[in-house]
Amino acid sequence: MTTASPAVSARRGATLGWLRRLGTPKVIIIVVVAGLIGYLALVPLYYLIWGTFFDADGFTLGGFARAYGDPRVGDMIGNSLWFAVGSAVLSLVVGTALAYLNVRTDVPFKGLFFAASIIPLIIPGILYTIAWIFLASPDIGLLNKAIEPILGPGFFDIFTVWGMVWVEGLHLSPIVFLLMVAAFRSMDPSLEESALMSGASRWQVFRRVTMPLTRPAIVAAVLVMVVRSLESFEVPALLGLQNGIYVFTSRIYFVLRSYPPDLAAAGALAVGLLVLALIGVTISNLVGRSGKTYQTVTGKGFRPRPMELGKWRPVMGGVIVLYFFLTVVGPLFVLLYTSLLKFYQAPSAEAFASMSLDNYRQLFDISDAMTALKNSLALGLGSATLVMILMAVGAWIVVRSRIPGRQLVDHFSFVPLVIPGLVLGLALSFVYLRSPVPIYGTIFILLIAYCTRYMPYGMRYAVTSMHQISAELEESAQVSGASWWQTFRRVLLPLLSPGLLAGWIYILVVSFRELSSSILLYSPGNEVLSILIFEQYENGQFTVLAALGVVMVLTLAVLVIIAYKLGAKVGLRQD
Amino acid sequence: MLRINNLVKTFDGERRRRRDSRASSAQEARVFAVNDVSFNVENGQLFTLLGPSGCGKTTTLRSIAGLERPDSGTIEVGDRVLFSTNEGKKSVNVPANERGLGMVFQSYAIWPHMSVFDNVAFPLQVKKRGDRLGRKEISERVMRVLETMELAHLADRQATKLSGGQQQRLALARALVIEPPLLLLDEPLSNLDAKLRESLRYELKRVQRELGITSVYVTHDQVEALALSNAIAVMRNGNIVQLGRPRDIYENPNCRFVAEFIGTSNFVSGNVVAKDGDRYTVNTIDGQLALDSAMSLPLGTDVIVSVRPEVLEVSTTSRAGEVPNEWKGTVLTRAYLGDSLDHVVGVGKHELRTRGNPSTSIEPGTEVYLRMDPAKLVLVPVD
Ligand SMILES: Nc1ncnc2c1ncn2[C@@H]1O[C@H](COP(=O)(O)OP(=O)(O)O)[C@@H](O)[C@H]1O
Ligand SMILES: [Mg+2]
């Protein structure tokens, strides 16, 4: 008895020790975060596939037959590709040209570039599209009214594929601009200078050296833009449906809005769109990886003297101003103008005389408007905070831990990148319609949708800043006696905070304007701002909508400014 | 004080495995970063791991710190087992944060978001609740260490706003504040410019000797190793090839690798043709050399004779017959180095570098005589 007890208690001690080791904050936090990331990424996909291929009788391809048996499906696929490729090419040409002008030449008005690349980010796609309807609709467009005396009525028609390409391409161009500015900046200028010294002209240098070296960045940008346009919902829904021009996203929306909604057919379309997006992202990853083989970043490259445009300088200056007017001033002006009118009309002495703030006053009376504003704020703040907290730990797992399978966490967190917003909305409704937990029909389903959609961006921000922190900073804390949690909280988090804050701002902004997932998941009482604007557009309440849009843009601007101020304060303590 | 036995650490040779898919077994694909390393460090001594880049010094040091988990071996500090995989006994691996050692990283790893004071206070603040000092004691202790390192006046400064030398002392202060039994240093001077490096080298030596703190020092710089250490282990490909006092290693390298790595040397290969007590005679293609060695090698053994440049005496006059080991040659080039002057002398097939007083400078093309003291020539077995 007494001889046996030490062995027994030793075994019990070992088990207890094992449990205690598993119960540390480190293990619990890591398991919870990795589990959440996997859950958010995989469960919607699983249910989407399940809901598409299985009905009450088991496996079926009925959804596919109904979705792709429609005679107009060829048109739909054609439109989708035309729209996506057209928008990508437009945004690429405009964005790359502007980036080159900005980085490598002495073009005037460089200050406008910053505004032109940041402001469109805070004009939600739906407002941007509506603004262009106000500008270039054949019946009521201000531009058409302005040129009517010369070219006759309805010269511009925004409700065509060309109109869709124009709006989407312009809205995407600032993203290409930012990508290409980074590519041009990271290129070693001595590569171009040595070509110049070999006697090549500026144009030859651009064509023979600059372009080949930035080709990986360009190809990646094209593919990313194609995928984003494929996934775009606002533009095809508002501009295309009017004339029966369907693309994947608007078709899915249409199928779900018909009575009775055919979930399986919508799922089949969603799977098709998912496959297209997956192909695009895969190719762009492959290109991106092979591009790294000729890394041109040298780190100590000084900025070369900018190329002098000479007599082209005023022309290019004019182009920049025009671009600024098209992307920033025009849309914002038309929204502001409309928001002051009693009913929508072209500018005239009469129109200006009738201006008032009535629409804004009315916003306070619409209880929906205040609820939507509150919901949008709560969702933006909530999803940004949740995502960045999760991804801070996720990035640690991926970059620093040696846990086997850590790369899975990375891959899972990037899965939502290929899921179009509308498809995610559909997939989540598949999940939570069946779930016994009452989430469907509450605001939490929107929170889950936003967290899922923006997880990849949060991960990218967190991983990037994790890579910038030398592992020795963390190890020296460990050697100093700090536990994992102490190291994370006192060394890693403060050092990560600028990157986490940048990610937080980005997610706040994009979730504040989210429409394509929300439109399938909201329920009355849980509207967000973009949904409300969409509804008002459908009801023809243009002037109130414009006022709401102005409020939305202003709120976003204020949020971004506060966040940047906060960020500057954090940044200040860094150096 | 520190005892390391049969330490082995391998890494996945992932890149190699992917490129060469024919690698027959996983074993082949592994990189033996540290391959069966054993050594002891006496109390209060500074022990240096010296070797070229990639030889496993850092991996050894990080294994002691607990930042890498070795495959096998034991690591003990004092009477505490920090790591052990001894078969039969229970395996031990104390986490890095419970080892209580001090470490200075190559990059210094100063936390940029904390002040100088907070950096040093951190190791005291994160101690377990029971062991933690009060705020006042922590503050006193930190200030005392900062004073030793002459950083007290900078206590409130943001840690990033320090010069290179100050950062190095801050890293040292942070490592020393918990009064660790063992201090680990990974190339702590390699980030500094040459001038500063030299002055901080003596500063480091002074602090180490004054505090009497047992230290393991990693460097690839032989001058640093010779100047600082009580004992040196020269490493190559994950193994220790020679272990000894600095003087032993410099004067009696046990292989060509060590002789080449520590300082510069001329190598003459030959064959043992006669042996009389400690006096060997070695036949080389350019003549015979007499030299003294305590090694016992049979006649006919292939050997290398290591001739340090400062051992070669250059003269324009011959003393053949009076002294052993005189070779005739021609000056090929010379180089003035400030505190010394080098000649390169061609003797038959060999080119020998000499180092001497700058007052002796001989025109290239001149015929000269090279004399070598048999006691200062080193016999090195062929690897
Ligand atoms: N994390 C790692 N993964 C794979 N190989 C490593 C890793 N760390 C070190 N090595 C390899 O182990 C060997 C020894 O490295 P290291 O100890 O850093 O050398 P040293 O400090 O002497 O320059 C090298 O060949 C290196 O490539
Ligand atoms: Mg090293």
Side-chain angles (χ1 to χ4, degrees):
Chain A
M1 183 73 197
T2 42
T3 47
S5 70
V8 173
S9 69
R11 196 170 314 139
R12 188 177 304 145
T15 319
L16 272 181
W18 187 71
L19 277 180
R20 208 174 307 128
R21 222 171 309 141
L22 278 187
T24 57
K26 174 179 177 178
V27 177
I28 294 172
I29 291 170
I30 287 175
V31 167
V32 167
V33 168
L36 271 176
I37 291 175
Y39 175 83
L40 287 179
L42 299 183
V43 168
L45 274 184
Y46 172 78
Y47 275 91
L48 175 68
I49 306 286
W50 196 82
T52 306
F53 288 99
F54 292 88
D55 62 11
D57 308 327
F59 182 81
T60 171
L61 288 173
F64 275 85
R66 290 193 298 280
Y68 295 96
D70 188 300
R72 282 164 307 170
V73 77
D75 279 354
M76 190 240 352
I77 293 176
N79 286 336
S80 291
L81 292 179
W82 186 2
F83 168 63
V85 174
S87 314
V89 169
L90 177 64
S91 67
L92 185 85
V93 170
V94 173
T96 307
L98 290 173
Y100 190 80
L101 284 174
N102 184 32
V103 177
R104 287 298 163 82
T105 71
D106 64 343
V107 73
F109 310 124
K110 283 200 178 175
L112 284 186
F113 280 105
F114 182 71
S117 60
I118 297 296
I119 294 177
L121 185 71
I122 62 175
I123 308 179
I126 179 151
L127 287 178
Y128 200 74
T129 314
I130 292 175
W132 271 102
I133 294 174
F134 290 160
L135 284 170
S137 135
D139 309 327
I140 59 169
L142 296 186
L143 289 176
N144 278 323
K145 291 278 181 268
I147 57 168
E148 203 175 274
I150 314 163
L151 295 162
F155 181 73
F156 293 118
D157 186 356
I158 203 77
F159 298 109
T160 58
V161 178
W162 289 113
M164 288 159 60
V165 165
W166 174 257
V167 175
E168 184 72 26
L170 273 192
H171 200 222
L172 289 178
S173 62
I175 304 174
V176 178
F177 172 79
L178 292 176
L179 285 176
M180 292 311 295
V181 162
F184 285 130
R185 286 235 171 99
S186 67
M187 207 173 96
D188 183 353
S190 66
L191 295 173
E192 284 177 307
E193 284 164 351
S194 57
L196 269 186
M197 297 309 292
S198 328
S201 71
R202 276 285 177 187
W203 173 244
Q204 283 172 318
V205 172
F206 184 76
R207 213 164 40 83
R208 307 268 311 267
V209 178
T210 317
M211 274 326 201
L213 284 176
T214 42
R215 189 177 297 141
I218 292 176
V219 175
V222 168
L223 289 162
V224 171
M225 294 310 128
V226 168
V227 171
R228 288 188 82 147
S229 322
L230 271 178
E231 299 178 353
S232 162
F233 171 70
E234 291 90 330
V235 172
L238 294 184
L239 300 182
L241 289 184
Q242 179 119 348
N243 288 338
I245 305 168
Y246 285 103
V247 299
F248 268 105
T249 50
S250 50
R251 186 81 205 163
I252 294 172
Y253 181 68
F254 181 81
V255 167
L256 287 170
R257 276 298 151 100
S258 321
Y259 193 81
D262 187 345
L263 287 178
L269 289 169
V271 169
L273 182 53
L274 196 61
V275 169
L276 280 181
L278 195 62
I279 292 172
V281 170
T282 310
I283 299 175
S284 95
N285 279 349
L286 287 180
V287 172
R289 201 168 308 142
S290 69
K292 276 186 201 116
T293 51
Y294 46 93
Q295 275 243 343
T296 58
V297 190
T298 54
K300 55 181 170 187
F302 60 95
R303 290 285 108 230
R305 207 163 55 97
M307 175 178 144
E308 280 164 17
L309 291 169
K311 62 177 191 294
W312 287 98
R313 195 162 181 264
V315 180
M316 290 303 164
V319 170
I320 303 300
V321 173
L322 181 68
Y323 175 75
F324 187 68
F325 267 86
L326 284 180
T327 52
V328 176
V329 180
L332 284 181
F333 164 79
V334 78
L335 278 182
L336 190 62
Y337 166 78
T338 311
S339 74
L340 296 171
L341 295 175
K342 279 211 164 40
F343 55 92
Y344 185 79
Q345 57 185 329
S348 62
E350 209 182 311
F352 282 105
S354 75
M355 281 184 171
S356 73
L357 290 174
D358 280 352
N359 291 320
Y360 292 92
R361 235 168 267 136
Q362 216 183 319
L363 284 182
F364 287 100
D365 299 336
I366 314 174
S367 68
D368 283 356
M370 286 302 122
T371 316
L373 181 62
K374 250 185 278 163
N375 285 344
S376 283
L377 268 176
L379 283 169
L381 294 171
S383 56
T385 310
L386 278 176
V387 168
M388 291 323 294
I389 290 175
L390 281 183
M391 293 309 128
V393 178
W396 184 87
I397 298 175
V398 172
V399 178
R400 285 294 152 72
S401 80
R402 301 182 190 172
I403 302 167
R406 60 186 174 277
Q407 289 308 330
L408 278 183
V409 172
D410 198 27
H411 298 326
F412 288 164
S413 71
F414 279 89
V415 165
L417 208 57
V418 296
I419 309 181
L422 205 68
V423 175
L424 180 69
L426 181 63
L428 284 176
S429 59
F430 279 143
V431 178
Y432 293 102
L433 273 174
R434 293 182 174 81
S435 150
V437 189
I439 286 182
Y440 195 83
T442 69
I443 198 167
F444 289 103
I445 193 159
L446 292 179
L447 186 67
I448 293 174
Y450 292 5
C451 286
T452 312
R453 272 204 87 177
Y454 301 124
M455 181 161 75
Y457 303 95
M459 190 61 145
R460 193 170 296 168
Y461 276 101
V463 162
T464 308
S465 36
M466 190 68 83
H467 275 301
Q468 283 162 356
I469 301 172
S470 133
E472 290 194 344
L473 290 174
E474 192 184 336
E475 288 167 355
S476 61
Q478 244 180 302
V479 174
S480 301
S483 67
W484 180 81
W485 177 238
Q486 283 169 320
T487 307
F488 195 81
R489 193 172 55 83
R490 297 204 41 191
V491 175
L492 279 178
L493 271 187
L495 290 173
L496 285 174
S497 58
L500 295 182
L501 186 70
W504 188 82
I505 294 172
Y506 181 80
I507 296 176
L508 177 64
V509 169
V510 289
S511 55
F512 202 75
R513 45 185 256 194
E514 213 289 332
L515 174 67
S516 56
S517 291
S518 317
I519 196 133
L520 297 183
L521 295 173
Y522 81 96
S523 45
N526 293 325
E527 285 96 347
V528 291
L529 282 177
S530 50
I531 296 288
L532 198 59
I533 290 174
F534 192 79
E535 286 179 344
Q536 288 172 339
Y537 177 81
E538 291 193 320
N539 297 338
Q541 299 167 283
F542 295 158
T543 53
V544 179
L545 169 166
L548 189 56
V550 171
V551 169
M552 188 174 179
V553 171
L554 283 179
T555 314
L556 265 175
V558 169
L559 282 176
V560 170
I561 289 169
I562 293 176
Y564 271 107
K565 282 268 147 64
L566 276 178
K569 227 179 232 157
V570 176
L572 214 66
R573 287 214 39 208
Q574 290 294 306
D575 43 29
Chain B
M1 174 61 207
L2 169 68
R3 280 181 308 285
I4 299 207
N5 283 313
N6 309 99
L7 193 71
V8 176
K9 169 73 189 170
T10 60
F11 289 107
D12 290 328
E14 254 176 288
R15 242 177 277 150
R16 189 156 24 128
R17 186 164 39 197
R18 237 176 256 151
R19 207 175 301 151
D20 182 13
S21 52
R22 281 166 301 172
S24 52
S25 66
Q27 196 67 26
E28 252 176 308
R30 296 194 78 73
V31 176
F32 278 84
V34 177
N35 192 1
D36 197 10
V37 160
S38 307
F39 60 86
N40 292 340
V41 181
E42 300 300 323
N43 219 341
Q45 296 229 309
L46 191 147
F47 182 91
T48 296
L49 294 169
L50 174 67
S53 168
C55 69
K57 311 176 296 283
T58 298
T59 308
T60 309
L61 198 74
R62 288 167 60 85
S63 301
I64 302 172
L67 296 170
E68 301 284 354
R69 190 197 165 96
D71 298 0
S72 62
T74 58
I75 300 172
E76 293 168 43
V77 171
D79 44 17
R80 210 171 149 219
V81 180
L82 296 183
F83 180 84
S84 163
T85 53
N86 268 355
E87 279 162 56
K89 273 187 252 165
K90 219 170 69 174
S91 68
V92 179
N93 182 23
V94 179
N97 55 340
E98 289 166 23
R99 293 195 178 191
L101 308 179
M103 181 157 178
V104 176
F105 288 79
Q106 190 166 4
S107 66
Y108 304 146
I110 302 224
W111 299 306
H113 59 299
M114 298 185 192
S115 67
V116 169
F117 181 93
D118 291 337
N119 261 281
V120 180
F122 183 88
L124 299 174
Q125 290 166 346
V126 296
K127 282 200 172 184
K128 293 235 163 63
R129 245 168 251 287
D131 308 336
R132 203 182 298 164
L133 300 171
R135 289 176 69 89
K136 213 165 133 262
E137 285 115 316
I138 289 183
S139 162
E140 281 168 10
R141 206 67 176 257
V142 171
M143 289 315 290
R144 203 165 350 117
V145 176
L146 286 178
E147 259 154 45
T148 322
M149 295 295 152
E150 293 168 11
L151 287 171
H153 60 293
L154 301 173
D156 295 326
R157 193 172 289 188
Q158 200 61 36
T160 42
K161 298 198 172 121
L162 294 182
S163 70
Q166 288 166 338
Q167 289 199 13
Q168 199 255 354
R169 284 186 305 202
L170 173 55
L172 196 56
R174 188 178 65 190
L176 291 175
V177 72
I178 54 165
E179 294 170 6
L182 181 66
L183 178 65
L184 307 171
L185 305 113
D186 189 358
E187 313 223 7
L189 301 178
S190 64
N191 277 333
L192 305 169
D193 58 63
K195 236 334 189 307
L196 195 55
R197 198 179 314 167
E198 199 162 335
S199 72
L200 283 174
R201 187 193 299 154
Y202 290 104
E203 178 73 16
L204 199 63
K205 185 165 179 172
R206 184 186 64 78
V207 171
Q208 192 269 333
R209 300 291 199 269
E210 262 172 25
L211 299 177
I213 180 160
T214 316
S215 310
V216 179
Y217 190 97
V218 160
T219 183
H220 64 268
D221 179 343
Q222 30 111 1
V223 181
E224 218 167 276
L226 294 174
L228 280 173
S229 321
N230 299 109
I232 297 178
V234 183
M235 290 187 71
R236 177 192 196 183
N237 295 341
N239 290 302
I240 293 182
V241 285
Q242 189 171 7
L243 198 161
R245 293 181 304 127
R247 190 174 268 277
D248 293 339
I249 297 219
Y250 187 80
E251 291 178 355
N252 290 306
N254 66 0
C255 63
R256 180 170 176 150
F257 172 78
V258 174
E260 235 167 16
F261 192 75
I262 312 278
T264 41
S265 201
N266 301 293
F267 295 102
V268 182
S269 45
N271 188 280
V272 177
V273 290
K275 182 168 190 277
D276 176 17
D278 277 356
R279 171 63 56 102
Y280 283 82
T281 306
V282 174
N283 233 355
T284 78
I285 47 171
D286 290 314
Q288 287 201 333
L289 286 177
L291 56 94
D292 298 335
S293 172
M295 265 186 285
S296 68
L297 296 171
L299 294 185
T301 314
D302 285 334
V303 291
I304 291 171
V305 180
S306 158
V307 190
R308 296 278 182 200
E310 62 272 17
V311 167
L312 281 163
E313 186 195 337
V314 197
S315 166
T316 46
T317 53
S318 171
R319 283 169 62 195
E322 291 170 53
V323 292
N325 296 346
E326 183 173 286
W327 282 7
K328 194 169 140 189
T330 314
V331 174
L332 300 176
T333 57
R334 60 183 163 177
Y336 175 65
L337 299 174
D339 51 358
S340 65
L341 195 142
D342 286 9
H343 292 102
V344 177
V345 179
V347 181
K349 289 232 169 3
H350 287 102
E351 284 185 10
L352 301 177
R353 178 175 293 274
T354 76
R355 175 159 299 175
N357 194 307
S359 59
T360 318
S361 180
I362 302 170
E363 280 286 319
T366 316
E367 285 218 328
V368 291
Y369 299 91
L370 292 176
R371 288 189 281 273
M372 298 159 257
D373 180 350
K376 289 184 177 163
L377 294 180
V378 180
L379 203 55
V380 181
V382 176
D383 301 330

